[in-house]
Amino acid sequence: MENRNEIPLGDQFAAAMDWWRDAGVDYEFSDEIVPLLADEADAEHARPTAPAEVKTEEKPPEPKVKSADLPGDLAAFRDWWVGPDNPFANGHAARIAPIGKEGAPLMVITAMPEIEDRDSLLSGPQGRLVGNVLRAMGLDPNLAYFASALPCHTTLPDWDQLAADGLGSAIIHHVTLAKPQRVLLFGSKLPAVLGHDPAAPPESFSAIADTATLATFAPDRLLDHARQRARLWKRLCQWTAAQ
């Protein structure tokens, strides 16, 4: 009589694994001997331990922009800002140059140009809001210096990465060259880009390059939230009264 197993080898192996699994054996075992009747402390001591993982500190990458590498006068900086060497331009949106003269009574820095901007900064509804804020402060918008933290409109910018790339240094350098008397900063993410503690309230951010600064929300958020506009107005009254 021919005694031949008709069950394929793969099915036999699977059946054996199922048998051990049903028996409660669902862990990986090694050839190391472990005394099963020892007390817990001895058993823990007897278990083989994996070698400790050695962690090496990774050096952070160099920023794309350093203040020392930027143009040393305002006109050259503005040319660089809209030129091909500016690494902060993202996408195909138009690069918008700053507007205004050195030594302006107020420098307005917004997070980015409006999506409608083509030839000038803040040419849409956000610009009208900012203009009204300046007029309410008793300042002619034509006398202000207008700039943006990013050279073109950007969808969902990664502000943490931009900070690591040196965007904060570029903004500080711009303020240093423009020499405004005060700065109005529109963008809740910008203080952190400039090195401020992101958990701190915006009221605690008070200066850029030793120039008195008030930080508030971006114009698009202010347009959508009347309560934030009211809060900004209250802070502006306190800020201007203290100057």
Side-chain angles (χ1 to χ4, degrees):
M1 183 173 92
E2 184 178 2
N3 186 13
R4 185 169 55 188
N5 194 341
E6 301 294 339
I7 303 175
L9 180 61
D11 292 346
Q12 294 180 49
F13 179 78
M17 296 300 296
D18 290 340
W19 189 91
W20 283 110
R21 191 176 298 109
D22 291 341
V25 181
D26 54 358
Y27 294 95
E28 182 179 353
F29 289 87
S30 69
D31 292 332
E32 296 288 337
I33 298 174
V34 179
L36 298 178
L37 298 180
D39 59 27
E40 232 177 82
D42 291 339
E44 188 66 33
H45 180 73
R47 291 193 188 105
T49 57
E53 182 181 353
V54 179
K55 294 184 178 180
T56 57
E57 292 186 5
E58 294 185 5
K59 187 177 180 181
E62 289 290 322
K64 294 180 179 179
V65 169
K66 297 180 181 179
S67 181
D69 300 329
L70 293 171
D73 65 86
L74 187 58
F77 179 89
R78 289 165 66 146
D79 290 339
W80 172 84
W81 187 248
V82 295
D85 294 333
N86 188 334
F88 304 118
N90 185 20
H92 302 289
R95 303 182 186 198
I96 309 298
I99 307 169
K101 296 181 179 180
E102 180 181 323
L106 182 69
M107 181 177 184
V108 173
I109 304 177
T110 188
M112 67 182 80
E114 296 187 62
I115 194 169
E116 300 91 351
D117 288 347
R118 294 297 181 269
D119 300 319
S120 61
L121 188 63
L122 294 174
S123 60
Q126 296 180 31
R128 288 192 290 275
L129 171 67
V130 173
N132 289 335
V133 169
L134 268 58
R135 293 185 188 92
M137 294 172 60
L139 178 65
D140 184 349
N142 294 318
L143 300 178
Y145 187 102
F146 290 90
S148 57
L150 294 175
C152 58
H153 185 82
T154 305
T155 303
L156 299 176
D158 185 346
W159 293 108
D160 290 337
Q161 184 59 54
L162 288 164
D165 289 340
L167 179 60
S169 296
I171 296 173
I172 293 171
H173 190 78
H174 196 173
V175 174
T176 301
L177 295 177
K179 298 182 177 65
Q181 297 175 25
R182 290 181 293 175
V183 176
L184 187 54
L185 187 68
F186 287 94
S188 58
K189 299 291 185 180
L190 296 184
V193 171
L194 291 160
H196 191 60
D197 181 1
E203 291 83 355
S204 63
F205 185 82
S206 59
I208 301 175
D210 297 326
T211 304
T213 302
L214 185 144
T216 185
F217 292 103
D220 57 344
R221 179 175 174 86
L222 291 170
L223 282 170
D224 293 336
H225 295 82
R227 182 177 296 179
Q228 297 298 347
R229 294 197 298 272
R231 181 185 178 191
L232 172 60
W233 176 244
K234 180 179 179 180
R235 293 183 59 213
L236 281 171
C237 291
Q238 296 171 343
W239 189 53
T240 53
Q243 301 301 313

